[in-house]
Amino acid sequence: MTIPTAAPEETPPLLDGLRVGPGQAQPFGATPVPGAVNFAVHARDTPRLWLVLMDPGSGTVLAEYPFPDEGRVGTVHTVRLYGAEAGRFDYGYRVERPPGTRSPVLLDPYARGLAGAGAWGERPRYRSRLLAAPGPPAVPRPSIDPADLVIYEAHVRGFTRDPSSGVRHPGTFAGLRQKIPHLRELGVNCVELLPIAEFDETDNTYTSPESGAPLPNFWGYNTVGFAAPKAAYAADPTPGGADAELRELVTELHRAGIQVVLDVVFNHTAEGGRGGPVLSFRGLDESAYYLLSPDGEPLNLTATGNTVNAGHPVTGEFILNCLRDWVIRYDVDGFRFDMASILTRGTDGRVLDDPPLLAALAHDPVLAGRLLIAEATDATGLDQVGSFPGHGRWSEWNGRYRDTVRRFLLGRRGSTGDFATRFVGSPDLYPGRPTTTSVNYITCHDGLTLADWTSYDRRHNEANGEGGGDGIPDEESWNCGYEGPTADHAVLRLRERQRRNALLLLLTSAGIPMLLAGDEFGRTQRGNNNAYSQDSPVSWLDWSHTASHAALLRFVSHCIAFRRAHPVLRRTTHPDGVLPDGWSCPPVSWHGETPGQPDWHPSSTLLAVLLHQQQPAGPADTVYLAANTGGARRTVRLPQPPPGTRWHLSMDTGAPTPLDSYPPGREPALVRGSLQLTGHSVAVLTAR
């Protein structure tokens, strides 16, 4: 390995009031101790290492002190800096490699704050910063059973960057905090934030085909500091500002009864491939932190240039400690792991049957009770959906649910039976495991928004500067008869029904539902299904849509309230068709135009399902759903509701607003024993 080097420098005298001595090998990173700061860093195969102190304003190097030989424990170098305190200086490390030369200043992998990034869009010159220890959480975490969760995936900057958001500090943690009333009114109780660990948004090789200006890395899946919140996401874009604002955001979300899940990226880093920058890991111990080929080249299993060596004990401990930091410092409620299948690979890159890191995360006492959600794929095509080694703790983004529901709503041949399996929690993928293993979604940040899924047959990614060939090639989308914006009322009505159909099926399916921010009010990305580089209205939520799409917003809030009101929709066991003793109906039964006669033919476009659950105390809970994915009107005869009840209409996507949905408890009773289904519509009934 070769890395850029800096010329040797003479060690300057100690700064006023400081003295150095050997430190302790644990914990890693910079840790305040009485009267001093302890530094501990793993650096293999280097005879010497220096602590570099820098001016917190300008970044000018103030002093460099060699780590004392007597402070070395194994491959851990330690030094204790007496008289130091948080805020007086920034810091970094230099290593001697090869002999006689010093590396550039390296970041501390465990740094809880990174200075030098500044406001959004400024080219960063990163420095590690010591932050003061936080106090205890201001409010307790909301206790929410995973079965009761409704997740809302959002990008911190994109959520409020548009002027229509009306917040004081657009595109920040503080801006998101101002939108908590919207989340509460909608009814979601968990926010999943796209990466908020420090990343370099200026790191993108592509340029705008219109202006020629560099495009940003907007999403942030190129982490620089894995334990440091992104400074530019704060109204005060400093490490201290980001630290304080993130804690305030989590506190206020918790106060509102909303949990917080962080999207974390432990499969690759911002150091990229061989020609990438040397920021930290590559200078300290490349073979421990990255998967390498026998000739020392980075293995690129992530399509980003490098792959984290999660199977190495040093790296596994680093990942575990970072997650603990987010829990201890910010009291977050869980994590979604980007390309989590990388974490299943051993030090040679091969997939392990029982990866030690996943077991450690599942059984770690600090992470106990926090959500662990895997994106169970990687860039090589490895797909572990249903087979991810979860140790009874992990949930998974269920991409098969997404694909199946999309195909079903388009009336694709052979999709009806597959949809039935997905609807009851994907028991084929998760036998013997709770339905909450499946995180169901139809849209996420990666792909078309829900409005665009009903408006475009193909991707429109020309603005990304990659010739329009990037992004998912085929999303099983349908423009409903016209590509893109239109004034055709028939097309617009069909698109509205399809959006409601998708949201209603999602929020009545067994598992944990996840919504994409803005789908509740018709957000569009103009057909761009890979908007990672679009810091523009393409990616920003247009809050004026809350007025222009108020009917859709009302419908979604009713769907969420309906889910919350019906325990039968939130069962953790996969229902079967066996009638238990004393029950009036089996847990699940399938129907068609005639009760008890579902149409499982590959060409079928009609399916109805009755869900039933006897309550330990109180009345039974019974829900009936009928979906017509064909274009023609269909009539279905209804099965008998439980004795002493009658059917009430909760949702009908084929009906005009406001007759398309009703708040729980206010649904009108049906006067006949059949249901008329408009083409491409879904109806839901409840027995009362």
Side-chain angles (χ1 to χ4, degrees), residues 393-442:
R393 277 275 283 120
W394 287 74
S395 297
E396 300 174 14
W397 266 26
N398 190 347
R400 310 231 182 127
Y401 177 93
R402 172 201 60 202
D403 298 341
T404 295
V405 173
R406 289 184 175 195
R407 287 175 49 79
F408 176 65
L409 287 174
L410 299 189
R412 297 285 194 248
R413 185 175 177 83
S415 61
T416 300
D418 197 12
F419 164 73
T421 303
R422 303 291 150 247
F423 184 76
V424 294
S426 298
D428 59 330
L429 298 176
Y430 310 115
R433 300 163 70 183
T435 58
T436 51
T437 306
S438 178
V439 174
N440 301 326
Y441 66 102
I442 297 173

Side-chain angles (χ1 to χ4, degrees), residues 115-300:
W120 177 272
E122 295 181 1
R123 190 70 178 174
R125 299 183 64 186
Y126 287 119
R127 310 181 298 275
S128 303
R129 178 166 293 180
L130 178 67
L131 298 180
V139 298
R141 293 174 54 230
S143 178
I144 305 174
D145 190 286
D148 299 332
L149 289 173
V150 178
I151 299 176
Y152 185 87
E153 189 199 36
H155 184 280
V156 169
R157 182 170 170 84
F159 196 60
T160 62
R161 178 61 185 84
D162 194 88
S164 63
S165 69
V167 300
R168 288 187 296 275
H169 301 289
T172 65
F173 296 129
L176 197 156
R177 191 172 73 246
Q178 277 192 256
K179 289 298 184 180
I180 291 176
H182 171 80
L183 303 176
R184 292 194 65 182
E185 183 178 354
L186 182 62
V188 298
N189 56 12
C190 180
V191 172
E192 181 177 307
L193 299 177
L194 266 68
I196 65 167
E198 186 63 60
F199 64 89
D200 179 6
E201 70 274 12
T202 69
D203 182 18
N204 187 356
T205 59
Y206 294 101
T207 58
S208 167
E210 286 189 6
S211 66
L215 289 168
N217 194 317
F218 181 71
W219 286 349
Y221 289 92
N222 64 329
T223 312
V224 174
F226 286 84
K230 180 154 184 63
Y233 279 173
D236 168 17
T238 64
D243 176 66
E245 283 185 36
L246 177 57
R247 282 189 281 115
E248 291 168 3
L249 172 62
V250 175
T251 294
E252 292 309 310
L253 285 167
H254 283 174
R255 197 188 309 275
I258 299 171
Q259 293 190 345
V260 182
V261 169
L262 302 184
D263 192 337
V264 290
V265 190
F266 287 107
N267 59 80
H268 71 281
T269 81
E271 288 188 311
R274 179 58 67 211
V278 179
L279 301 173
S280 177
F281 304 102
R282 185 172 290 150
L284 295 171
D285 188 354
E286 185 175 33
S287 64
Y289 290 114
Y290 295 114
L291 292 177
L292 304 176
S293 68
D295 58 359
E297 289 299 308
L299 293 181
N300 186 14

